[in-house]
Amino acid sequence: MDTVQHKHPPYLLIWLYLALMTAAELALAFELPIARNLKLVLLLGLAVWKALLVAMFFMHLKFERWNLRILFIIPLPLAALFIFAAISQKFW
Amino acid sequence: MTHATTTASLMRPPFPAERGVDAHNLKLGMWVFLASEVMFFTALIGSYVILRFGAPGEWARPGTVLNVPVTAFNTFLLICSSVSMVKAFAAIADGNQKMLKVWLLLTIIGGAMFVGIQAYEYTHLVERGFLPSGVRDGSELAALVANGTLPQATMGLYGSTFYIMTGFHGFHVTCGVIAMTYLYFTKALRGKYTQQDYRGIETVGLYWHFVDLVWIILFTIVYLI
C-alpha cells in the first residue's frame, strides 16, 4: 500500500448521527402523539436511513466499485418483492 | 487527491484481487455470504410481517411485554461496537497495531455485553411468562391477558416470531464475538496484521457491521412498531 496519508470517513460523526437517530426513534415511538400510520412510516424511514449510513460508511460501500456494490444491492429488490408478495397474499 | 479517491484507494489494498470487483477473495466471499444473509433475514422479517398484519386480532402494544429501555441501551451498545470495529480497521490501515488491539478488544467487549444483556432480557421475559409458544398460565403476563391489556389470540405468534428473529440475530452476534476473539488472540495480539495485510480485520468487520445493520431494522420493527 502506498504511504500517502489516507483520510477516513468521519466515523465518530456517523456514530453521533446513529445515536441521535436512535433517540429520535424512541421519542417518536413513545412520546410524540402523531397518527399511527405516519409514525410507522417515519420509524421505518429512520431505520432505513440508519442502515444506509452503516452500509455506506462503516461497510465502505460508498467507496467500493459498482461491481461489488451490486452484490449487496441485488438481493434487496428480491427481498422487497418477497415481502410485497407475502403481504399481498392477505388480499388474494 | 479528493476525499473519495483517497478513501477508495484505502479500500483496495494490493492483495491478489478478483477480476472485475477489485476485491481480495476473502472480502468477495464475505460479500457473497452477506448477500445470502440478506435473503435469510428477509425471510424472517417477511414472515413476521405477514403473520402480524394477517393476524386474527390486535398485536401487543410496544413496551407492554418487552423492556424497550434495556433494548434501546443494547442497540446503542451495538452501534458503539460497530464504530469501534471500523476504528480498528482504520487503525491497522494506518499501520497502528496498538490501536488495532485496543479498538478490537472494545468491539469484543461490546458484542459480549450485547449477548449478555439479551440473555438477561430473555431470562426476564420467561420469568414474566413470555414464551415462544405464548403466555405461561398463572404468570404476570397471563394476568394482563386475562384483564384484556394483552390480546389473547396473537400472543403465540408474537412469542414465536420475537424469539426466532432476535434469537437468530443473537446467534449471529455470538458467532461474530467468537470470530473476533479468535482473531484477537491468534493474530492481532501477535502482530500478524500489518498495514500491508489486514484482510481478516476487514472481512470480520464487514460481518460485524452487517449484524449491526440487521439489528437496526429488527429493533424498529420488533420493539418500536
Side-chain angles (χ1 to χ4, degrees):
Chain A
M1 181 176 284
D2 63 43
T3 53
V4 176
Q5 279 229 324
H6 295 291
K7 285 183 184 173
H8 296 285
Y11 297 127
L12 292 180
L13 190 63
I14 293 157
W15 167 77
L16 190 64
Y17 286 156
L18 292 171
L20 288 176
M21 278 194 271
T22 304
E25 281 179 330
L26 288 170
L28 192 58
F30 296 105
E31 302 296 333
L32 292 184
I34 58 173
R36 185 172 160 74
N37 285 347
L38 178 62
K39 192 180 275 190
L40 188 77
V41 170
L42 289 175
L43 282 172
L44 287 176
L46 275 172
V48 169
W49 190 5
K50 286 167 67 182
L52 275 176
L53 279 179
V54 171
M56 298 297 271
F57 293 101
F58 289 175
M59 298 173 87
H60 300 119
L61 266 188
K62 184 176 165 65
F63 312 107
E64 295 290 359
R65 291 197 172 181
W66 265 105
N67 288 357
L68 195 63
R69 284 186 205 175
I70 283 171
L71 255 183
F72 193 63
I73 291 170
I74 278 179
L76 298 180
L78 293 176
L81 188 67
F82 175 82
I83 290 179
F84 176 75
I87 292 172
S88 65
Q89 190 188 22
K90 189 182 174 185
F91 305 106
W92 288 354
Chain B
M1 273 195 280
T2 64
H3 173 83
T5 310
T6 51
T7 311
S9 67
L10 177 72
M11 295 304 115
R12 297 190 187 101
F15 308 124
E18 295 293 333
R19 282 193 300 171
V21 290
D22 200 17
H24 55 82
N25 53 6
L26 286 180
K27 184 172 166 179
L28 181 61
M30 179 53 76
W31 274 112
V32 172
F33 172 66
L34 293 184
S36 74
E37 287 281 87
V38 169
M39 294 309 289
F40 174 78
F41 279 103
T42 299
L44 291 182
I45 293 170
S47 305
Y48 172 78
V49 168
I50 181 108
L51 287 172
R52 178 165 178 176
F53 292 100
E58 281 291 303
W59 205 257
R61 288 177 176 278
T64 317
V65 177
L66 307 175
N67 191 338
V68 178
V70 168
T71 314
F73 173 74
N74 226 10
T75 303
F76 178 68
L77 199 60
L78 202 59
I79 289 171
C80 289
S81 80
S82 207
V83 176
S84 58
M85 185 72 233
V86 82
K87 293 291 281 180
F89 166 83
I92 195 61
D94 291 339
N96 189 340
Q97 294 213 7
K98 185 184 166 194
M99 289 315 292
L100 163 71
K101 292 171 197 166
V102 171
W103 288 117
L104 189 58
L105 184 61
L106 285 175
T107 310
I108 293 167
I109 292 170
M113 282 177 70
F114 180 91
V115 176
I117 291 174
Q118 195 174 29
Y120 162 79
E121 181 197 14
Y122 276 19
T123 310
H124 192 64
L125 286 172
V126 170
E127 270 177 13
R128 291 183 68 206
F130 189 49
L131 307 175
S133 56
V135 173
R136 191 179 60 240
D137 289 340
S139 65
E140 180 191 336
L141 292 182
L144 291 178
V145 170
N147 70 20
T149 309
L150 288 173
Q152 168 118 37
T154 56
M155 288 307 288
L157 286 175
Y158 186 26
S160 54
T161 52
F162 168 79
Y163 281 108
I164 283 180
M165 286 195 294
T166 58
F168 266 114
H169 180 268
F171 172 70
H172 278 75
V173 176
T174 307
C175 290
V177 171
I178 291 169
M180 287 188 295
T181 307
Y182 174 77
L183 292 182
Y184 180 75
F185 285 109
T186 61
K187 301 261 187 162
L189 272 187
R190 296 180 184 182
K192 290 188 176 175
Y193 289 120
T194 63
Q195 194 172 14
Q196 285 71 41
D197 188 357
Y198 48 86
R199 285 173 289 182
I201 291 295
E202 187 178 15
T203 307
V204 81
L206 284 174
Y207 175 82
W208 193 248
H209 300 310
F210 178 78
V211 165
D212 180 33
L213 188 154
V214 168
W215 184 252
I216 284 171
I217 304 290
L218 283 184
F219 176 64
T220 297
I221 67 165
V222 174
Y223 289 85
L224 300 182
I225 290 177

